[in-house]
Amino acid sequence: MRIEIIGAGYVGVVTAATLSSWGHRVTLLDINSERIEQLSRGSVHFYEPDLEPILQQQLAEGALDCRLFPHGLIDQAQIAMICVGTPGNMKGHTDLSQLEAALQGIATRSAPEVIAIKSTVPVGTGRKIMGDLARRNCDSMVVANPEFLREGSALYDSFHPDRVVIGVDQPKAAAMMQELYNRLQAPLVITCPEEAELIKYASNAFLATKISFINELSRFCSNWDIDINVIARGIGLDHRVGTHFLQAGSGFGGSCLPKDLKSLIGQAATLGEGAVLLRAVQQVNESQRGWIVQQVEQILGNLAGKTLAAWGLSFKAGTDDLRDSPAIDLISLLIDKGAQVTAYDPKVAGSSGLPAGLVMADNPETAVVSADLLVLLTEWPELINMDWQQVGKLMSGSVVLDTRNCLDPEIIIKAGLIYRGIGRAMQQGIPITYQQVKKGLG
Ligand code: NAD
Ligand code: UGA
């Protein structure tokens, strides 16, 4: 099929690579000329495993091209897929200006048979767009086709989705969307546009709820000196609960879970609904970062002048995305308390988006030199698998605070270090004082 994709961010680039590799002829468009130029050379402006080789292959085979929006819009597109950003504000209002600008360009210049909205949009947006297009005498059919990929495994998710959700009124548009995805074995959920839009928010809100649930329990565990990872496994093996998204840590971040939760609460408010559960999920998440800072203070006392090493800056492993990263918030809180923080991340370079006062190291070893405490903020495999004996020798203190519960405490303890996690049993006794930390009492 002849496809145009509007918005060359995480979703747009991954979708373009996937659809072109299935044999569709794809044109990817963006208003950012630098981005388009870079993509046309086969280089991606963000880190996503395995994406560049497939992009380069599709460009070389002529299955994909990248163009500036709106001039590069094509006349004969069957489906235009909108993948622009839909950021939110503090009050939970969703900013649809990128979407409106994209639609205006499409409606006036290319009028494809189907416009599929992959961006995450509030319930009722698809229906409103149908009305707007009709007023502009554009007869494109509108479909809500939310995206569920995760950063860091975006290509895998795009090729192996758990389901494809298509919110559509017209049978012809439904048939075209089915043809678009006919390579997939995944179940198709064909609904009305409003249901498709809510499925997207409900999925992210439910995942956020699981995370806040386990994070709240992790605080109980640290008081009882029992291990949240054991609790998560014990409940997760019940198939009705499931093991996924029960990893306690620094709370959920990234460009979507916090934003979409906030938006759903905002949408509920316009209905006069309090969204009590969703607000609680948000509160637990926001307070988790402060709670972790308190753990650091319990260990080191007053943080003024203390030297901390921070490993990992992105909101999770497998991406260089810093949007709403718990790591960034935590580092800012620590710096505000007077700590000197040196950080390392395998994929984050430069200083854009980083807290003022943060020192960046070129490698993990340099970051820990003379550190009173090491805080692991992102679960990068290369950081988990460090030579911990060497880390112990380089540090001045000896506590490793694992905010992702991803380290094996035994390995850390064997290296002569003190292990602390989030709600994990403290095999080495509590409380520990700063003097003990300096002496390295394990
Ligand atoms: P992004 O910010 O990475 O990319 C958006 C792109 O759209 C940018 O390159 C921007 O220049 C471009 N753009 C803005 N206005 C434009 C216009 N008028 N015409 C053409 N291009 C324009 O966003 P993203 O992370 O890919 O997310 C896109 C949407 O998908 C959002 O609604 C998001 O909530 C949703 N989503 C994101 C993910 C994810 O993992 N990032 C997953 C599922 C759904
Ligand atoms: C999330 C959803 O998982 C995707 O299905 C969805 O498409 C996407 O949002 C979106 O709408 O943009 P993503 O933001 O890439 O994907 O990341 P997740 O893997 O969901 O992780 C989100 C946050 O929760 C991260 O900060 C992660 O570290 C944290 N998390 C995740 C936990 O703290 N514990 C867990 O058990 C799982």
Side-chain angles (χ1 to χ4, degrees):
M1 298 177 88
R2 189 68 176 99
I3 310 297
E4 61 190 2
I5 294 179
I6 324 295
Y10 288 83
V11 173
V13 177
V14 172
T15 305
T18 306
L19 293 180
S20 55
S21 75
W22 287 344
H24 299 300
R25 174 69 180 87
V26 178
T27 295
L28 174 62
L29 299 110
D30 202 287
I31 46 169
N32 184 325
S33 54
E34 258 176 56
R35 211 161 265 190
I36 286 300
E37 203 185 303
Q38 187 178 344
L39 287 164
S40 299
R41 282 186 271 113
S43 156
V44 180
H45 51 282
F46 51 85
Y47 172 70
E48 182 61 45
D50 308 322
L51 184 55
E52 270 188 356
I54 188 165
L55 179 83
Q56 288 161 5
Q57 190 187 342
Q58 297 314 311
L59 288 166
E61 287 177 7
L64 170 67
D65 67 333
C66 306
R67 300 187 195 176
L68 194 61
F69 181 90
H71 313 289
L73 282 165
I74 52 174
D75 295 329
Q76 65 283 41
Q78 290 164 281
I79 302 179
M81 309 189 84
I82 303 204
C83 304
V84 297
T86 49
N89 68 11
M90 292 302 286
K91 289 186 180 156
H93 175 77
T94 304
D95 175 0
L96 296 177
S97 55
Q98 295 182 30
L99 180 79
E100 281 154 11
L103 282 167
Q104 176 149 13
I106 298 172
T108 49
R109 286 169 176 264
S110 81
E113 286 179 66
V114 168
I115 297 176
I117 314 288
K118 281 193 99 55
S119 299
T120 302
V121 293
V123 176
T125 304
R127 185 80 53 198
K128 182 177 172 302
I129 291 170
M130 290 175 204
D132 292 347
L133 292 177
R135 276 188 291 281
R136 284 182 197 149
N137 296 320
C138 170
D139 57 5
S140 298
M141 295 174 280
V142 177
V143 173
N145 178 213
E147 178 55 60
F148 298 94
L149 62 79
R150 294 161 297 173
E151 292 178 22
S153 52
L155 264 188
Y156 179 86
D157 291 347
S158 193
F159 280 101
H160 307 277
D162 288 342
R163 77 304 207 184
V164 173
V165 175
I166 299 173
V168 60
D169 286 337
Q170 299 96 331
K172 180 164 184 227
M176 287 176 70
M177 294 302 288
Q178 278 173 283
E179 188 185 343
L180 179 72
Y181 289 115
N182 68 7
R183 284 291 189 98
L184 292 176
Q185 304 295 319
L188 294 183
V189 181
I190 300 190
T191 71
C192 68
E194 290 81 356
E195 283 165 347
E197 288 160 349
L198 183 54
I199 286 170
K200 174 63 196 175
Y201 282 101
S203 296
N204 277 356
F206 189 72
L207 295 172
T209 304
K210 284 188 91 174
I211 298 168
S212 278
F213 174 81
I214 205 70
N215 281 338
E216 181 155 78
L217 283 190
S218 75
R219 301 192 205 174
F220 307 165
C221 286
S222 67
N223 281 291
W224 283 318
D225 198 17
I226 56 178
D227 198 320
I228 191 65
N229 280 11
V230 176
I231 308 301
R233 181 170 151 74
I235 57 177
L237 287 172
D238 182 330
H239 286 108
R240 293 168 302 175
V241 177
T243 50
H244 298 292
F245 276 69
L246 286 179
Q247 182 75 19
S250 50
F252 55 83
S255 67
C256 289
L257 257 52
K259 159 180 86 75
D260 293 346
L261 184 63
K262 211 173 279 171
S263 171
L264 188 53
I265 292 170
Q267 291 174 59
T270 64
L271 306 171
E273 294 292 339
V276 179
L277 174 64
L278 300 181
R279 283 181 198 277
V281 169
Q282 205 176 33
Q283 273 167 21
V284 171
N285 197 52
E286 283 165 5
S287 61
Q288 190 74 355
R289 297 163 202 194
W291 183 79
I292 291 176
V293 172
Q294 282 172 16
Q295 308 305 299
V296 179
E297 285 176 315
Q298 263 180 25
I299 299 168
L300 292 183
N302 186 345
L303 295 185
K306 302 280 160 57
T307 306
L308 303 184
W311 278 358
L313 295 169
S314 54
F315 80 95
K316 64 173 187 177
T319 177
D320 56 1
D321 197 342
L322 296 177
R323 291 180 283 182
D324 219 332
S325 171
I328 300 296
D329 278 358
L330 265 161
I331 290 172
S332 299
L333 290 170
L334 294 167
I335 290 176
D336 286 349
K337 295 213 170 243
Q340 290 162 8
V341 185
T342 305
Y344 169 77
D345 186 287
K347 292 290 171 200
V348 177
S351 59
S352 166
L354 301 183
L358 176 67
V359 176
M360 285 297 288
D362 291 338
N363 56 63
E365 290 86 359
T366 310
V368 296
V369 170
S370 304
D372 291 320
L373 180 144
L374 164 63
V375 56
L376 180 69
L377 296 170
T378 309
E379 71 286 18
W380 286 102
E382 50 266 68
L383 298 177
I384 294 171
N385 298 319
M386 285 293 292
D387 176 347
W388 288 97
Q389 299 281 348
Q390 198 207 354
V391 172
K393 284 182 195 142
L394 293 171
M395 285 175 67
S396 154
S398 49
V399 177
V400 177
L401 176 59
D402 171 14
T403 70
R404 296 295 187 148
N405 283 359
C406 57
L407 298 175
D408 180 345
E410 270 188 35
I411 293 176
I412 306 303
I413 293 165
K414 264 195 197 142
L417 293 161
I418 299 172
Y419 176 84
R420 289 290 178 269
I422 303 301
R424 296 191 81 178
M426 297 197 187
Q427 300 90 336
Q428 293 160 294
I430 44 171
I432 51 170
T433 65
Y434 182 55
Q435 268 58 39
Q436 285 173 313
V437 173
K438 288 303 264 189
K439 279 191 253 158
L441 292 185

